[in-house]
Every structure is written in structure tokens, then in C-alpha cells.
Amino acid sequence: MLPEGGFMMKSPAKINLSLRILGRRADGFHELDTVFQEIDLCDEIEFYPAEEWCFRADGADLGPDQDNLVVRAARALSAYANVPCKARIFLRKTIPTGGGLGGGSSNASVTFHGLCRLWNLDVEWERLQELAAELGSDCPFFVYGGMARGRGRGEKLELYDGSLSGTVVAVFPGFGVNTRKAFSECEFDLTEHDKNVIFTAYLGEEEGTYILLEDCVNDLENIVLRVHPMLRELRDELSRLGADVSLLSGSGSTVFGVFRESSAARRAAQQLRERFTVYICRMVGRQRRAELR
Ligand code: C5P
């Protein structure tokens, strides 16, 4: 039982089922076409009413509080809504940091929702999406969660209903990859708008479910797998172990496999567990995201 007035929210990770880079932009960012998919690997964030600001985190080596996306989200919302930034927040990390799983971005957007509830604010989700875009390219997606196509920097969203079936085996190799550095090593001309997101799915047996097909591409793999050849081996090992799709998530370092059969996913996870941190996850549709909250 949480103390009076307190509540906990789950903050799910994501994988990129596909990530195409269309080109470098004048503002230094890259134009993307990607498909985000939430998975049920979650951090937990507890919110309590308080007369001052207090933030505590454990479970990961997170760096200074002022850089934490929970703190930055709280400040941004308090300034936007013109309310004092008073709350007690406790972040319990499970999602590895620097792994391309969007943990910090998810924490930021869940903090928006948590503080709207704690401070009794009725802010439209479109406004939260705009505030989130100032914190990071992946943050707007986590305002909605589930599955969505992201264009622009990743902040222009097209939300997908329904959910994908299949089991995700996400493998964290024990080190992180610097996203800025990975993007800066991309060898793309200014814009090349003819690439389309490659992502094929077909209707599953249950209504509203989809099954992922092969053909998933992550353009950052060219760079990241060259620098870290063991990630290529890991990706290929997931395929050998029966994954229908295996791919780097975002800029990595996490590599994931999607398995149609959960028994094959469990066998693959068992094989990899001796050497890596392995998570067996389900994909979270927008419907289910609401239940996590
Ligand atoms: O937006 P975010 O802070 O998550 O991005 C981290 C870094 O990744 C940016 O500073 C930028 O170098 C790179 N990036 C990019 N194009 C994007 C998203 C991120 O070049 N669409």
C-alpha cells in the first residue's frame, strides 16, 4: 500500500520495429521514418503530494538529478501550467540506460501524466506531446504509447490501433551506445525522401492483432554493428535461435528478436542468459497501456 495520496505508474520501454534515416537536416537532427512499439519491460514511478520538491531514483547509474528527464519533465510542466513544482517522486529503474529502449524518454512522458493527476491539471495530450518534443525526439511517442509511426525527428506521430502478437526477447549486452555519436557517423546526404519505412504486418487470428513479418530495417545498424561486431553476432544468433525478426533497437545497444512462438522465445532467452541481460517481453498496445497506468 502506498502512503495516502500516492500512486505508482509503470513506464514501459520501446523497441523500434523499423528505423529508416531519410537524411540529415539543417538543424543537425536527422529526418526519420520509424515504427515505435512499446514492450512490457517497465520502470516504476511513484508520485506523492508534498510541500516541496523531492526526487529519488534507484536501480541504475543515472547521473546528476538536474539532467534526469523526470526532473526536466516536472519543471517543464510546472512552468507551462504555472503551478509550483512540488511533489515527491521516486523512480525505480529496470530498463537499462543507453540501451536504445527509450527508458528516460518514457519516464519523462509518464511524469507528465503522473503530475497532471497529482496536480489536478487537465492538459490536452497534444500539448503534452509538444512539451515532450522539447525534451527529446522519442518523448512524444510515450505520451500515447502502444505502437506508432514516427516521422520528422520522431515526434510527428501516426498512432496505430490494435497490437502486434509475438514475444520479444530483448538482449542488453552490458554497455550503452551514444545516440548522438551513432547519428553523427551516418553517411547520408542532406535529404533523400524516397525511402519508406519497411514494416510489413498481417492480420492475426484475433481481431485487432497483427503479426510481424520479416523486412524490418534499422539504418543505424550499418554504423553501430561496425563499431560493435559482437552486436551483429548477437543479432544473427537471435535469427538462428528462431526469431522471425532480429534487429538493433534505436541506436542500440539492445538487440531484440520477435518470435511468433513464445516457447521458442523462452528457449532463445535461456541460451543467451548466461552471457547477457535478457528480457522476455510482450508488446503493449495502446489499450493495454491504459491498463498499465
Ligand atoms: O532527441 P534526443 O535528445 O533523443 O536525441 C539525441 C541525439 O541523437 C541528438 O542530439 C542528435 O544528435 C541525434 N538525433 C538525430 N536525429 C534524430 C534524433 C536524434 O540526429 N531524429
Side-chain angles (χ1 to χ4, degrees), residues 28-30 32 136-137 153 179-180 183:
F29 281 87
H30 290 77
L32 304 185
S137 305
R153 276 197 294 136
T179 304
R180 185 189 301 261
F183 271 106

Side-chain angles (χ1 to χ4, degrees), residues 223-236:
I223 296 124
V224 177
L225 301 192
R226 203 170 54 217
V227 179
H228 301 286
M230 59 85 62
L231 296 181
R232 183 185 305 278
E233 283 165 32
L234 188 51
R235 188 195 61 180
D236 296 346

Side-chain angles (χ1 to χ4, degrees), residues 23-25 27-32 72 105 133 135-139 152-155 178-184 251:
R24 194 174 297 126
R25 313 189 327 182
D27 64 1
F29 281 87
H30 290 77
E31 195 69 15
L32 304 185
R72 292 175 54 205
S105 306
L135 298 177
S137 305
D138 289 349
C139 293
R153 276 197 294 136
E155 88 288 13
N178 183 313
T179 304
R180 185 189 301 261
K181 193 160 181 292
F183 271 106
S184 73
S251 58

Side-chain angles (χ1 to χ4, degrees), residues 44-274:
E44 290 178 350
I45 312 182
E46 290 174 14
F47 298 87
Y48 303 95
E51 282 311 313
E52 76 255 299
W53 170 255
C54 174
F55 171 68
R56 202 158 64 80
D58 74 21
D61 191 8
L62 287 176
D65 278 1
Q66 73 267 20
D67 296 341
N68 193 288
L69 280 162
V70 168
V71 178
R72 292 175 54 205
R75 291 206 181 119
L77 184 67
S78 119
Y80 171 79
N82 200 18
V83 294
C85 196
K86 292 179 181 172
R88 195 150 63 81
I89 299 184
F90 176 50
L91 167 65
R92 196 174 294 112
K93 291 297 287 181
T94 301
I95 305 168
T97 51
L101 294 172
S105 306
S106 171
N107 297 163
S109 292
V110 171
T111 298
F112 284 147
H113 288 302
L115 289 179
C116 282
R117 178 166 154 192
L118 195 73
W119 293 340
N120 226 346
L121 301 173
D122 187 14
V123 184
E124 285 174 9
W125 285 26
E126 286 78 9
R127 296 289 84 70
L128 296 181
Q129 189 179 345
E130 285 164 13
L131 290 177
E134 288 174 28
L135 298 177
S137 305
D138 289 349
C139 293
F141 161 68
F142 286 107
V143 171
Y144 302 92
M147 177 173 32
R149 183 172 180 175
R151 282 180 268 199
R153 276 197 294 136
E155 88 288 13
K156 291 187 186 142
L157 297 171
E158 185 184 328
L159 305 178
Y160 293 142
D161 289 329
S163 60
L164 281 173
S165 56
T167 303
V168 175
V169 176
V171 186
F172 178 67
F175 59 86
V177 165
N178 183 313
T179 304
R180 185 189 301 261
K181 193 160 181 292
F183 271 106
S184 73
E185 286 167 14
C186 287
E187 287 150 17
F188 288 103
D189 293 333
L190 249 168
T191 29
E192 189 192 317
H193 279 295
D194 56 347
K195 271 190 207 167
N196 252 325
V197 69
I198 296 187
F199 170 72
T200 327
Y202 63 84
L203 273 178
E205 278 163 25
E206 275 174 61
E207 202 182 320
T209 65
Y210 297 88
I211 296 170
L212 193 65
L213 290 179
E214 45 293 338
D215 284 349
C216 293
V217 174
N218 179 343
D219 284 332
L220 285 170
E221 281 192 341
N222 287 335
I223 296 124
V224 177
L225 301 192
R226 203 170 54 217
V227 179
H228 301 286
M230 59 85 62
L231 296 181
R232 183 185 305 278
E233 283 165 32
L234 188 51
R235 188 195 61 180
D236 296 346
E237 192 168 352
L238 277 163
S239 296
R240 269 198 310 280
L241 291 168
D244 298 291
V245 168
S246 60
L247 211 65
L248 186 74
S249 181
S251 58
S253 56
T254 302
V255 175
F256 66 89
V258 182
F259 294 76
R260 253 172 251 190
E261 301 297 333
S262 61
S263 52
R266 277 197 301 277
R267 275 196 303 276
Q270 202 144 21
Q271 291 277 322
L272 295 163
R273 208 154 250 155
E274 281 175 17

